[in-house]
C-alpha cells in the first residue's frame, strides 16, 4: 500500500485524458497536418482509456483480496451510469435506424455486454468486466500468476487489434478471430483490454514501487517512444484491424501513473465527475456543434468554420462538453441526497488503526537492530487482532520482507492479500498439506525429528526453518539431539533455510531468568557450532522476539521475530526493559452511543441485576460485547467526549451499558473509546489487560472479526 496520498497528478490527468478522448472523435489537427493528427489521435490519445482503467483499479482493487463491498459498489455505480448513458444516446440510435436492423435482440445483448450501445460507451461494460476479472484473479492467485493471465488476455486482444495482420495469416487463428468477432466487434473490450490495466492499478496500489522519479520519467519516455515506433510500424505493414492496443502501451501507462503519483498539489475534487461526464457526453456535443453550424450557416457564413476547421471544431466540442459537465455536476450536487459523510465503518463498533504509528514503531526498532539483522513481522492471529491485510500490506510497503504466522491458512491468506515476502509458519502444519506449502511458497517450521521425517516422506520439496528446543519445551528438536539434527539436514525434500529457537522468560530481568535465557542462548549456539564442525552451512538464525530484543539487544542473529514492538504495546503496563524505545500503540477500539435512557434509583441493569442504580442514572447502551473480544470481566471505564464513563453491570455478548450521568452533553451518536491510544487514559491495551488478569497479546488477539476496521 502506498504511504503518501498524492492524488493531484491523477486528478489533473483525468481532465487531460478526457480531452484526449475528445480528440479521437474530432481529429483536431487533421486540417493542419494529418501526420500530426495521426500521432495525436491514434497513438497518444490511446493512453486515455487505459489510464482510466488503471485509476479505477488503483482505488478499487486495493482491498481486492478481502473486501467485495467496494467492488459491488463500483459495479452498481457503473451500471447506473451505463443505464443513463444508454438512455441519453437512445435518440441518436433511433436516428441511425439502430432498431430496424436484423437479429435485433442478440445484437442488443452483444452491444450492451461488449460493444456499447453507442460507439464510445463500450468503456462502461469494459470497466465492469475488467474489475471483476481482475478481482477474481487476484483473489484466487497471487500477483505474479494473475499477471500472466491478464497479459495472456491482452495478447489475444493485441492479435485481434493492432496485430490482426499476423493472426489473419494462419488458418486456426483466423477461424478463432472470425468466431470471436461474431460475438464482439473488437477485442478492445472488458475481456482482452481492460484487465491488464486494472491489474496494474491494483499492483501499484499494493506494492511499493521503488523506482525514482528519474527512472519513472526515463521509463515513460522510452516506452512512449517505443509505442510511437510500434504504432507507425504496424501501420506501415498494414497489420491493424483496429488500433487501440499496443504492446508498449502497458509499460507506458505504468510509468506514467507512477509519475502522476509523485506530483504534489491539492486534489482537484471535481476532476472525477467532470472527466466522466465529458467522456460520456462529448459525442452528443459533436452532433450538437454540427447541428448548430448547419443552422447558423444560413445567416452567418463563418459558422462553416465550426465544422471545417478542425481545431475550432475540437475547441467548440470541448467547450460545449465542459459547460454541460459544469451544469450537470452542479445540478447533481444540488439535488444529491445529503449523504452522511461518516464512513461506513463507524456504524457500530470498530478498530481504528493508526498506520503512522506502525511506521514509527518500525523505524524505532530499526534504530537498535544489529547489522545484518532484519525484522520478521509476527502477524499471527490476524496481526494480534489488528487485521492481517491492513497490517501486513502496510509493513511490506515499508520494506519488511519477512513475515511469521502460526498456521498455514494464515500464511495462505497473507499470499491472497498480495504479500510476496517470505512467510514462516511458526506452528504445526499437517504434513498432508505439503503441496500447499510448496504451492504458496511457504516456510514450515520443523517441530521435531519425527515431523521432519514425515514431511520428507511426502515427496514434495518444501522450504523450512528448523526449530531447536533450548528450554521452552514446546516445539523443536532438542538441542542435545545432534545426530538427529544432522540427519534432518540430509533429508532430500526438506530445504532448511533457517534455524531458530524461542526464549521462555526474556520479559523478566530477575537474575535467575537472565541466567536461564543465557543458558538457552548457549544451547542454541552449541547447535550452531556443531553444524559448523560438521561442515553444514548455518542457515539464517533467529531467537529473539520483542522482549528478547529489548532486554538482550546485543544478540546477533539474522532476524528478530517482532510482534508486540510493532503493535507498540508492552504485554503489561509496568514492564521495564533495558532498551527503552519510544513505541506508540497502533490500535484503538471505538464504538458509539446508540441509546440513552434515564433510569430511576434502585433499578437493576443487565443480566443478574449485577448493577443496581444508586441514584437517578443516565445510561448509554453501546453496541459491542464479549463476542467482539471485550473481556467479560472488564469493569473499568470507557471514554465518551473525553470523560470516563463506568461500565454498568455485566458485559453482554453484543452490548454493554455505561453510566453516563456524569458525562456532560452526552448524545446518541457520540463516539466512545474503549481501548485508547492515549497513554494517560488508563485505557491502553496493557492497562485493560492487566485489570482483567491477562496480557495485551491476549486482549488484542481476541478482538473479533465482527468489528469493522478503519485505517487512519
Ligand atoms: C508470537 C511469537 C513471537 C512474537 O512475540 P512478541 O513478544 O509479540 O514479539 C515470536 N516468536 C514466536 C515463536 C512466537 O510464537
Amino acid at each position: 500500500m502506498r504511504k503518501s496520498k498524492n492524488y493531484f497528478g491523477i486528478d489533473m490527468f483525468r481532465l487531460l485524458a478526457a480531452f484526449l478522448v475528445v480528440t479521437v472523435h474530432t481529429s483536431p489537427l487533421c486540417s493542419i497536418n494529418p501526420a500530426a493528427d495521426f500521432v495525436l489521435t491514434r497513438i497518444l490519445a490511446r493512453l486515455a482509456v487505459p489510464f482510466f482503467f488503471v485509476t479505477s483499479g488503483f482505488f478499487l482493487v486495493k482491498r481486492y483480496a478481502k473486501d467485495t463491498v467496494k467492488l459491488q459498489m463500483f459495479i452498481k455505480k457503473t451500471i447506473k451510469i451505463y443505464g443513463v448513458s444508454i438512455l441519453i444516446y437512445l435518440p441518436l440510435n433511433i436516428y441511425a435506424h439502430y432498431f430496424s436492423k436484423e437479429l435485433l435482440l442478440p445484437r442488443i445483448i452483444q452491444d450492451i455486454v461488449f460493444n456499447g450501445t453507442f460507439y464510445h460507451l463500450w468503456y462502461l461494460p469494459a470497466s465492469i468486466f475488467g474489475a471483476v476479472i481482475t478481482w477474481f484473479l487476484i483473489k484466487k492467485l497471487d500477483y505474479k500468476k494473475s499477471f500472466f493471465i491478464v497479459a495472456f488476455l491482452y495478447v489475444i486482444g493485441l492479435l485481434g487489434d493492432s496485430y490482426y495482420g499476423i493472426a489473419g495469416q494462419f488458418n486456426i487463428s483466423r477461424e478463432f478471430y472470425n468466431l470471436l468477432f461474431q460475438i464482439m466487434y473488437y477485442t478492445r473490450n472488458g475481456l482482452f483490454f481492460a484487465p491488464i490495466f486494472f491489474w496494474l492499478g491494483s499492483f501499484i496500489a499494493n506494492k511499493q514501487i521503488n523506482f525514482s522519479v528519474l527512472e519513472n520519467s526515463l521509463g515513460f519516455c522510452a516506452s512512449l517512444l517505443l509505442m510511437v515506433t510500434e504504432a507507425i510500424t504496424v501501420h506501415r505493414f498494414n497489420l491493424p484491424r483496429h488500433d487501440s492496443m499496443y504492446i508498449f502501451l502497458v509499460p507506458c501507462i505504468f510509468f506514467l501513473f507512477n509519475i502522476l503519483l509523485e506530483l504534489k498539489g491539492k486534489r482537484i475534487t471535481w476532476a472525477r465527475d467532470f472527466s466522466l461526464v465529458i467522456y460520456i457526453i462529448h459525442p452528443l456535443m459533436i452532433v450538437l456543434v454540427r447541428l448548430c453550424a448547419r443552422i447558423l450557416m444560413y445567416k452567418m457564413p463563418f459558422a462553416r468554420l465550426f465544422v471545417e476547421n478542425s481545431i475550432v471544431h475540437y475547441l467548440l466540442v470541448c467547450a460545449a462538453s465542459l459547460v454541460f459537465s459544469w451544469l450537470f455536476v452542479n445540478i447533481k450536487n444540488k439535488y444529491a441526497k445529503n449523504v452522511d459523510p461518516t464512513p461506513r465503518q463507524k456504524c457500530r463498533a470498530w478498530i481504528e488503526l493508526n498506520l503512522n504509528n506502525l511506521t514509527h514503531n518500525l523505524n524505532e526498532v530499526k534504530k537498535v537492530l544489529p547489522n545484518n539483522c532484519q525484522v520478521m513481522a509476527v502477524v499471527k492471529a490476524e496481526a494480534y487482532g489488528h487485521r492481517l491485510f491492513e497490517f501486513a500490506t502496510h509493513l511490506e510497503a515499508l520494506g519488511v520482507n519477512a513475515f511469521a504466522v502460526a498456521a498455514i491458512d494464515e500464511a495462505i491468506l497473507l499470499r491472497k492479500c498480495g504479500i510476496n515476502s517470505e512467510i514462516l509458519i511458526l506452528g504445526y502444519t499437517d504434513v498432508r498439506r505439503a503441496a500447499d506449502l510448496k504451492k504458496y511458497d511457504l516456510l514450515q517450521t520443523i517441530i521435531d525429528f519425527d515431523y521432519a521425517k514425515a514431511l520428507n516422506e511426502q515427496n514434495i520439496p518444501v522450504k523450512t526453518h528448523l526449530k531447536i528446543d533450548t528450554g521452552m519445551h514446546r516445539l523443536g528438536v532438542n538441542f542435545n539431539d545432534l545426530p538427529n539434527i544432522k540427519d534432518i539436514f540430509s533429508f532430500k525434500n526438506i530445504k532448511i533455510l533457517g534455524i531458530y529457537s524461542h526464549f521462555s522468560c526474556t520479559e523478566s530481568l530477575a537474575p535467575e531468568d537472565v541466567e536461564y535465557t543465557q543458558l538457552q542462548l548457549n544451547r542454541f549456539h552449541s547447535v550452531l557450532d556443531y553444524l559448523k564442525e560438521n561442515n553444514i552451512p548455518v542457515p539464517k538464525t533467529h531467537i529473539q522476539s520483542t522482549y528478547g530484543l529489548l532486554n538482550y539487544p546485543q544478540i546477533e542473529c539474522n532476524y528478530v521475530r517482532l510482534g508486540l514492538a510493532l503493535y507498540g504495546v508492552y504485554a503489561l503496563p509496568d514492564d521495564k526493559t533495558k532498551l527503552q524505545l519510544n513505541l506508540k500503540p497502533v490500535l484503538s477500539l471505538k464504538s458509539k452511543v446508540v441509546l440513552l435512557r434515564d433510569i430511576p434509583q434502585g433499578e437493576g441493569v443487565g443480566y443478574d441485576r449485577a448493577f443496581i442504580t444508586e441514584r437517578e442514572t443516565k445510561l448509554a447502551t453501546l453496541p459491542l460485547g464479549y463476542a467482539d473480544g471485550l473481556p467479560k470481566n472488564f469493569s473499568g471505564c470507557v471514554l465518551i467526549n473525553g470523560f470516563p464513563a463506568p461500565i454498568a453491570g455485566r458485559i453482554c455478548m453484543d452490548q454493554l451499558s455505561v453510566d453516563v450521568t456524569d458525562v456532560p452533553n452526552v448524545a446518541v451518536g457520540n463516539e466512545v473509546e474503549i481501548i485508547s491510544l492515549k497513554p494517560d487514559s488508563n485505557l491502553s491495551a496493557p492497562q485493560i489487560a492487566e485489570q482483567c488478569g491477562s496480557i495485551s497479546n491476549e486482549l488484542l488477539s481476541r478482538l473479533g472479526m465482527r468489528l469493522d476496521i478503519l485505517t487512519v
Side-chain angles (χ1 to χ4, degrees), residues 93-113:
N93 289 137
I94 295 171
Y95 180 76
H97 305 292
Y98 182 89
F99 294 99
S100 55
K101 300 206 167 111
E102 284 173 26
L103 287 173
L104 191 56
L105 189 65
R107 236 197 79 147
I108 289 180
I109 294 172
Q110 253 180 24
D111 283 351
I112 288 181
V113 176

Side-chain angles (χ1 to χ4, degrees), residues 325-568:
S325 311
W326 184 81
L327 280 174
F328 179 85
V329 171
N330 269 290
I331 292 172
K332 182 190 135 201
N333 288 347
K334 196 165 167 193
Y335 289 100
K337 276 176 275 164
N338 256 340
V339 265
D340 181 3
T342 327
R344 184 180 60 86
Q345 288 89 341
K346 292 197 169 187
C347 285
R348 190 185 71 91
W350 65 96
I351 287 166
E352 223 168 86
L353 288 192
N354 185 325
L355 293 175
N356 289 332
N357 286 1
L358 175 55
T359 309
H360 167 88
N361 294 341
L362 180 67
N363 289 334
E364 279 293 295
V365 164
K366 277 186 180 165
K367 283 187 206 158
V368 301
L369 284 191
N371 287 340
N372 302 325
C373 180
Q374 288 185 13
V375 169
M376 180 187 287
V378 181
V379 292
K380 58 195 179 191
E382 280 288 329
Y384 292 31
H386 292 58
R387 299 305 164 86
L388 196 58
F389 177 83
E390 283 73 13
F391 208 82
T393 51
H394 186 79
L395 282 175
E396 193 177 53
L398 294 176
V400 169
N401 50 25
F403 290 85
V405 290
I408 183 170
D409 289 311
E410 293 179 321
I412 294 174
L413 196 58
L414 267 183
R415 286 281 181 248
K416 293 193 172 163
C417 292
I419 297 294
N420 282 327
S421 306
E422 281 174 22
I423 302 175
L424 172 63
I425 300 166
L426 298 167
Y428 163 80
T429 298
D430 192 315
V431 293
R432 287 172 295 182
R433 299 196 65 183
D436 274 341
L437 291 173
K438 177 160 180 276
K439 176 175 171 195
Y440 292 99
D441 193 18
L442 306 173
L443 295 159
Q444 172 59 42
T445 292
I446 302 288
I447 57 171
D448 79 344
F449 180 73
D450 290 342
Y451 183 82
K453 234 169 78 187
L455 190 59
N456 186 47
E457 281 163 8
Q458 300 299 309
N459 268 327
I460 296 173
V462 287
K463 299 179 183 171
T464 63
H465 280 202
L466 176 60
K467 186 159 190 182
I468 305 297
D469 181 2
T470 55
M472 178 87 175
H473 302 316
R474 193 174 60 173
L475 298 177
V477 185
N478 191 289
F479 72 98
N480 260 329
D481 204 355
L482 297 169
N484 273 343
I485 291 175
K486 191 175 165 192
D487 273 359
I488 296 174
F489 273 90
S490 69
F491 286 168
K492 120 174 163 300
N493 293 315
I494 287 180
K495 194 167 169 192
I496 301 179
L497 299 177
I499 183 163
Y500 75 100
S501 187
H502 192 54
F503 287 131
S504 63
C505 50
T506 41
E507 66 279 10
S508 157
L509 289 172
E512 64 276 17
D513 290 328
V514 174
E515 203 174 302
Y516 194 73
T517 302
Q518 191 56 49
L519 178 70
Q520 280 194 284
L521 186 63
N522 292 346
R523 288 169 170 176
F524 186 57
H525 280 146
S526 72
V527 175
L528 302 185
D529 290 341
Y530 171 80
L531 293 182
K532 283 178 207 149
E533 284 156 19
N534 285 274
N535 291 322
I536 297 173
V538 177
K540 296 267 179 83
T541 56
H542 44 110
I543 191 162
Q544 298 141 290
S545 50
T546 294
Y547 283 101
L549 176 71
L550 296 182
N551 283 330
Y552 303 88
Q554 74 285 355
I555 298 177
E556 290 199 5
C557 278
N558 298 113
Y559 294 110
V560 284
R561 301 184 303 267
L562 292 185
L564 287 177
L566 296 176
Y567 305 106

Side-chain angles (χ1 to χ4, degrees), residues 621-664:
T621 307
L622 313 182
L624 81 168
Y626 61 76
D628 296 297
L630 270 190
K632 190 164 179 293
N633 61 348
F634 176 47
S635 59
C637 288
V638 300
L639 274 187
I640 304 182
N641 302 335
F643 290 90
I647 291 173
R650 305 242 156 97
I651 293 181
C652 311
M653 189 185 279
D654 318 302
Q655 5 257 334
L656 63 101
S657 299
V658 291
D659 181 346
V660 292
T661 319
D662 298 326
V663 177

Side-chain angles (χ1 to χ4, degrees), residues 306-339:
F306 292 1
V307 275
E308 286 179 0
N309 182 305
S310 59
I311 293 192
V312 176
H313 181 232
Y314 172 69
L315 292 177
L316 279 175
V317 172
C318 288
S321 306
L322 259 180
V323 170
F324 186 92
S325 311
W326 184 81
L327 280 174
F328 179 85
V329 171
N330 269 290
I331 292 172
K332 182 190 135 201
N333 288 347
K334 196 165 167 193
Y335 289 100
K337 276 176 275 164
N338 256 340
V339 265

